[in-house]
Amino acid sequence: MVALLAWTLLLAPLAAAASIPLLGLHRKRLSAALAIGGLFLSFLCAAVLFLQALGGRLTLPLELSVAWISLPDLAIPFGILLDPLSLLMALVVTGVGSAIFLYSTGYMAEDAGYSRYFTLLALFAFSMLTIVLANNWLELFMGWELVGFCSYALIGHWYEKPSAAEAGKKAFMVNRVADFGFMLGILALWAMSSPLAAERTLNYQALQARLPQLVEMGWLAPHALGLVGLLLFCGVLGKSAQMPLHVWLPDAMEGPTPVSALIHAATMVAAGVYMLCRTFWLFEPLPQILAVIAWVGGATAFFSAWLAVVEADLKRILAYSTLSQLGYMVMAVGLGGAVAGMYHLTTHAFFKALLFLAAGSVIHGTRRQNIWELGGLARSMRWTSLAFLVGALALCGFPFLSGFFSKDEILVLAHEHNRALYWLGTVTAGLTAFYIARAWFVAFTGTPSERLHAHESPLVMLGPLALLAGLSIAGGYLGIPAFLGQHEGRLHLDVAAVSLSVVAAGLLLAWLIYARRLISAQEIAARCRWFHQVLLQRYGFDNLYTWYVEQVQQRLFAGACALFERAVIIGFAVNGTARLTQTAGHVLRLCQTGKVQSYALVFFSGIVVFLYLSTRLR
């Protein structure tokens, strides 16, 4: 029974993705029903397994596998690993994903690519579940790359729009750069797993048991694991959009809003953090690598929050917020708190999906997403406004909402292990409160524009908002850390007091500037013109990468390759061979005149030369 539930959990979305092109390509309701039904079936299976584990009827960890790759010196089964980490993540993916799938039926109702959209959604869910449930690195990498393909296709769903097509390609290419290092790390793990080729493995549990023993026996140098850790972290830089490979995530807002919610809350960007938590045993004995991870996460959290402060697009504000919150999670893992990172990942899935779907409801009801073109939505879109407010309060860590508990777990870790990162994270919490309050006051309060005609979204879109709002409120009381094995309470009153003070300061400043208009935002921007321009330019990362691609890759490297191709390969090897053959043929043709007197002349000339050489040799 457990095996049936586990395999159904993994394969139901894949079956839906395969069925839609066969049965529902021109039947919109059927394609949506197949996708939603497949993922909801996976959610039911995950819930049953979760309850069995809570009740003690399921012993964890549990590994299931079937034969997959069988070659000389290489045997890799296709398997499922059930443990608290994978079950929790599977619930997040299928539960939040089901709400987003249902919401999509209303948001995408008039879309011409409706069936294609739901096919890719179902394949996206299967890809993420493959990452979550994999029991070996090769299977995880397969899901990792499928997630990358699905994100490319879904971000560029409206491919006739140039900016959407470019955004999809950008997400795909940036992640390919990161995944090259990730792939090298996986290959290095396989090579180091055993001195004997026949015993090498990519299985998680086998590697966890074997690599420390190889280090103790002297077969494996500790610094080799550090190099592998850095290579694996390259994958996190791409998938979880950490600096400097964060540039694809804001542009991903060109896709449909439910796709943004799915990528930012439950699937793609969570994959990197999940991978770090899954293999935390590998990083735990490497303090230098953990320090790098922590500082990359802290820097991403801090600098991304500043970008949200000056952004005008509602979805991009939330995108920079996701970058910042992912930085918190990565920082937590780097500080040795894999449980804290997963805790925040889970609560973040609730309130960030809520925020994105509420933003989608705003776009659906107004056809606008620039916050300066909105205003007064709290009157015309009351339920959407209330949902956004709940998500915003949870995001900034309002007391006793889900974000308050999970964010403070991370700040407590930083307070105990790295005071510099603690203050960086604390200031980031204040920035978070400021930019999300700015979005709320500008878009939802005040007087609406005369040209703005807003209407509330249908029930099929409001229902998922209500569900996610409830989870955003109650997520901190679900006992997530205890389920993952952290039993002691971690509420730190001093840390909580400081963080709440900073959050309150951020909310107050946003209220004074954007609600009461007692402080001029334009005057502040004018006084800090240089910094304001830096933020508007996104710290110059996009300009730097554009320069690198155009000047270094295209003009220098590609130009040198083109010159080598024209001069050496085509000019010398290809055309040179042709000219040599042509010249040789021309010379040979001169010797074959067809005239007897010419042949006689050559014959007698040869005799004369022969006689001359004979006399000389004597």
Side-chain angles (χ1 to χ4, degrees):
M1 183 62 180
V2 172
L4 178 62
L5 289 171
W7 288 111
T8 303
L9 164 62
L10 174 63
L11 298 176
L14 178 62
S19 300
I20 293 172
L22 297 175
L23 304 175
L25 192 58
H26 301 292
R27 302 172 182 174
K28 296 173 65 173
R29 290 185 179 181
L30 179 59
S31 61
L34 287 170
I36 296 170
L39 190 58
F40 188 70
L41 179 59
S42 292
F43 171 71
L44 291 178
C45 293
V48 171
L49 292 170
F50 182 82
L51 292 175
Q52 288 182 353
L54 280 181
R57 299 189 302 276
L58 178 62
T59 303
L60 300 178
L62 175 65
E63 191 168 342
L64 307 167
S65 62
V66 295
W68 184 27
I69 298 175
S70 182
L71 297 172
D73 297 335
L74 179 63
I76 301 177
F78 190 92
I80 290 176
L81 176 60
L82 296 178
D83 63 1
L85 187 64
S86 62
L87 281 179
L88 175 63
M89 193 66 189
L91 277 174
V92 171
V93 172
T94 57
V96 175
S98 294
I100 295 171
F101 278 34
L102 181 62
Y103 176 97
S104 295
T105 60
Y107 191 87
M108 303 292 289
E110 305 301 324
D111 191 80
Y114 193 87
S115 295
R116 169 168 54 89
Y117 171 83
F118 275 100
T119 301
L120 289 169
L121 279 190
L123 185 61
F124 204 166
F126 163 73
S127 306
M128 188 62 195
L129 286 172
T130 301
I131 294 175
V132 170
L133 299 174
N135 71 339
N136 64 78
W137 282 100
L138 184 60
E139 188 179 338
L140 178 140
F141 189 71
M142 183 184 75
W144 196 271
E145 295 306 305
L146 274 175
V147 162
F149 164 74
C150 292
S151 67
Y152 156 75
L154 286 168
I155 292 169
H157 175 73
W158 293 317
Y159 54 86
E160 67 279 0
K161 183 180 176 183
S163 58
E166 289 299 318
K169 289 189 288 185
K170 186 175 183 179
F172 188 81
M173 294 307 298
V174 170
N175 276 277
R176 297 294 70 72
V177 172
D179 290 352
F180 178 71
F182 185 53
M183 181 181 65
L184 291 179
I186 293 175
L187 292 175
L189 274 179
W190 177 77
M192 295 188 308
S193 62
S194 175
L196 303 176
E199 296 180 1
R200 288 174 181 165
T201 182
L202 288 172
N203 182 273
Y204 293 151
Q205 297 192 91
L207 286 169
Q208 186 173 357
R210 189 178 298 179
L211 290 182
Q213 293 179 355
L214 292 175
V215 172
E216 291 179 5
M217 295 168 59
W219 287 95
L220 186 61
H223 66 267
L225 287 180
L227 176 60
V228 171
L230 286 176
L231 290 172
L232 294 176
F233 186 59
C234 288
V236 180
L237 292 179
K239 276 292 182 291
S240 290
Q242 298 297 285
M243 286 185 170
L245 298 182
H246 64 288
V247 293
W248 67 270
L249 196 59
D251 290 348
M253 298 302 96
E254 293 292 337
T257 303
V259 171
S260 303
L262 194 62
I263 290 175
H264 285 246
T267 54
M268 184 171 177
V269 297
V273 178
Y274 174 80
M275 188 273 288
L276 285 178
C277 297
R278 163 60 65 201
T279 58
F280 184 67
W281 61 268
L282 177 65
F283 297 93
E284 193 171 14
L286 304 170
Q288 295 86 356
I289 305 303
L290 285 178
V292 171
I293 293 172
W295 276 104
V296 168
T300 302
F302 179 75
F303 289 109
S304 299
W306 276 110
L307 294 177
V309 169
V310 300
E311 182 57 59
D313 185 283
L314 184 58
K315 285 177 64 177
R316 285 179 179 263
I317 292 173
L318 298 180
Y320 289 124
S321 171
T322 299
L323 286 174
S324 184
Q325 297 304 305
L326 287 169
Y328 268 122
M329 301 172 207
V330 172
M331 184 177 76
V333 177
L335 292 170
V339 171
M342 275 302 299
Y343 187 16
H344 197 56
L345 185 154
T346 305
T347 61
H348 176 262
F350 300 152
F351 58 74
K352 188 52 62 68
L354 173 63
L355 285 168
F356 266 110
L357 296 188
S361 181
V362 169
I363 297 168
H364 183 270
T366 65
R367 302 300 175 187
R368 288 175 171 82
Q369 57 193 72
N370 188 312
I371 59 174
W372 302 110
E373 298 175 358
L374 300 171
L377 294 181
R379 302 176 186 176
S380 53
M381 303 182 69
R382 294 181 180 179
W383 295 112
T384 298
S385 302
L386 179 60
F388 193 95
L389 179 61
V390 171
L393 292 175
L395 169 64
C396 67
F398 196 79
F400 310 116
L401 298 185
S402 60
F404 167 76
F405 295 103
S406 58
K407 181 201 67 179
D408 273 25
E409 286 273 349
I410 298 173
L411 293 180
V412 167
L413 269 174
H415 187 268
E416 294 175 351
H417 296 95
N418 191 316
R419 287 300 177 93
L421 282 175
Y422 163 70
W423 287 111
L424 196 68
T426 300
V427 173
T428 302
L431 289 171
T432 302
F434 176 80
Y435 68 66
I436 200 63
R438 167 180 175 265
W440 165 260
F441 288 128
V442 173
F444 293 92
T445 65
T447 303
S449 169
E450 294 181 358
R451 295 178 296 175
L452 184 64
H453 303 286
H455 61 83
E456 189 57 275
S457 298
L459 185 61
V460 73
M461 296 172 64
L462 294 179
L465 291 181
L467 173 63
L468 291 168
L471 289 172
S472 299
I473 294 171
Y477 305 96
L478 299 179
I480 295 170
F483 181 72
L484 293 175
Q486 181 177 295
H487 298 292
E488 72 274 11
R490 305 214 19 113
L491 183 60
H492 195 298
L493 294 179
D494 293 342
V495 172
V498 172
S499 67
L500 286 177
S501 300
V502 172
V503 167
L507 294 174
L508 176 62
L509 184 59
W511 179 72
L512 291 173
I513 296 175
Y514 299 104
R516 296 299 304 275
R517 311 283 181 176
L518 297 178
I519 302 175
S520 172
Q522 290 76 16
E523 185 177 342
I524 295 175
R527 291 186 177 183
C528 306
R529 183 176 302 173
W530 178 83
F531 185 53
H532 186 250
Q533 288 300 316
V534 169
L535 295 180
L536 291 178
Q537 293 295 320
R538 306 180 189 179
Y539 303 117
F541 279 103
D542 285 287
N543 294 335
L544 175 63
Y545 293 152
T546 300
W547 172 85
Y548 175 78
V549 170
E550 292 180 353
Q551 301 298 324
V552 178
Q553 287 192 332
Q554 293 182 358
R555 292 193 177 184
L556 183 62
F557 182 70
C561 290
L563 179 63
F564 178 81
E565 180 187 30
R566 289 194 301 270
V568 178
I569 297 177
I570 297 176
F572 179 76
V574 178
N575 293 339
T577 303
R579 283 192 293 268
L580 178 63
T581 304
Q582 184 181 30
T583 303
H586 180 71
V587 173
L588 185 62
R589 182 172 59 83
L590 294 176
C591 298
Q592 301 293 328
T593 64
K595 297 178 180 180
V596 176
Q597 56 268 37
S598 298
Y599 297 150
L601 177 61
V602 172
F603 177 75
F604 284 111
S605 299
I607 292 175
V608 171
V609 171
F610 177 75
L611 292 175
Y612 173 77
L613 293 175
S614 297
T615 56
R616 296 288 294 178
L617 291 174
R618 290 179 184 177

